[in-house]
Amino acid sequence: MRKKAKNKKNSYSLWLSGGGILVIFGLLLIFWIQSGNARVKEQTLAEGQTSYQNFCAGCHEASGLQLATKPPNLHGLFRRKKLPSGAPVTDQAVRDVILNGRGIMPPFKGTLSNKDVEALIQYLHTR
Ligand code: HEC
């Protein structure tokens, strides 16, 4: 009888600690997923920055270019209401400019993949 009661208590505390372990695993899982998301985001921004340096900075960061139209400054682009052309600043409008070009700005449709363009837009959001 006494032995049985003791067993019952043991299984109860075992169940409790089992719950504790589940909670810890749950928290670890959430933490793991979040740090994974942060890593993916960091990676995307780094890729976007590389594309910007390789394909955009040559015009948009240069001073004294002898171009008929001066490339607009893209710093804080997404904090503005309008693009220099007057179009509202949205991902879609910026994507269109990148893919199709504008005036003397060349199209990047064949040069940048969709993934590159999305990373570039993410990066432009942070500038
Ligand atoms: C050969 C030089 C050149 C390169 C390279 C270039 N741009 Fe441009 N960009 C321009 C010029 C010039 C304009 C102004 C076009 C106009 O309004 O006629 C412009 C305009 C823009 C605009 C504003 C469009 C609007 O609607 O007013 C955005 C956004 C832009 N560029 C983004 C980029 C991004 C992102 C890249 C890199 C993938 C890039 N550009 C590469 C020259 C360039």
Side-chain angles (χ1 to χ4, degrees), residues 51-52 55-60 65 67 69-72 74 77 83-87 93-94 97-98 102-106 108 112 120 124:
S51 296
Y52 181 81
F55 300 109
C56 319
C59 285
H60 285 276
L65 282 183
L67 293 175
T69 329
K70 220 172 158 309
L74 299 181
L77 183 67
L83 290 170
S85 63
V94 173
V97 176
I98 296 172
R102 188 181 162 80
I104 52 174
M105 174 173 156
F108 287 90
L112 295 171
L120 185 51
L124 288 173

Side-chain angles (χ1 to χ4, degrees), residues 25-43:
F25 269 113
L27 288 175
L28 278 177
L29 187 68
I30 289 168
F31 182 74
W32 181 71
I33 289 171
Q34 282 194 335
S35 66
N37 281 346
R39 249 197 320 275
V40 168
K41 190 153 189 217
E42 227 168 79
Q43 170 95 26

Side-chain angles (χ1 to χ4, degrees), residues 1-15:
M1 265 292 262
R2 265 172 67 196
K3 205 173 176 211
K4 206 173 182 193
K6 203 176 165 207
N7 275 348
K8 203 171 179 193
K9 191 176 170 217
N10 274 349
S11 63
Y12 180 61
S13 60
L14 203 70
W15 194 85

